[in-house]
Every structure is written in C-alpha cells, then in structure tokens.
Amino acid sequence: MCTQILKLNEVVQRTTLSSSTVYRLVKTGHFPKPIKLATHASGWLESEINDWILDRREASETAK
C-alpha cells in the first residue's frame, strides 16, 4: 500500500483544524504524531490522518 506524506497545510485543509489545534492534539495524544522528514521538515502519514477523520466520524455518529 502506497502512503502519501502530508505537510501541515494539507492536514489543516483535510481536518479543518487550525495548525495550533493540530499541535495541541498531538501533544495530548489525541492526534497522530508527525514523522520527521529532515532537520526542519515534518509530515503526517495520509493513512493515519484518514483513520483519525474516520474515528471522529464514528464517534460523532455514536454520540447521537
């Protein structure tokens, strides 16, 4: 399975969260951690972001 790496701006677009919210959720363990790509570059695995979105959707549906 080929997995893409998403940069922060793509993660923000897909999740509709702000960048500060993404990092806050990472810090509290409620969002996937980024992977280090280079000294000053990080990214997220697309599959992990998709899973997180699906988990939020399922949690929303069960809360109804």
Side-chain angles (χ1 to χ4, degrees):
M1 179 167 119
C2 182
T3 299
Q4 297 259 334
I5 296 174
L6 304 176
K7 299 295 284 179
L8 179 59
N9 62 344
E10 295 169 302
V11 172
V12 167
Q13 287 177 343
R14 287 185 185 215
T15 62
T16 70
L17 300 171
S18 69
S19 58
S20 59
T21 299
V22 167
Y23 283 117
R24 186 175 65 248
L25 290 173
V26 166
K27 186 175 181 179
T28 61
H30 293 100
F31 197 80
K33 290 183 177 183
I35 57 172
K36 197 72 170 160
L37 302 172
T39 305
H40 298 288
S42 297
W44 284 260
L45 294 177
E46 181 181 37
S47 60
E48 292 183 357
I49 299 305
N50 290 339
D51 289 345
W52 183 87
I53 292 169
L54 289 174
D55 288 346
R56 299 289 62 77
R57 181 178 168 194
E58 290 172 5
S60 175
E61 290 173 356
T62 58
K64 291 181 182 177

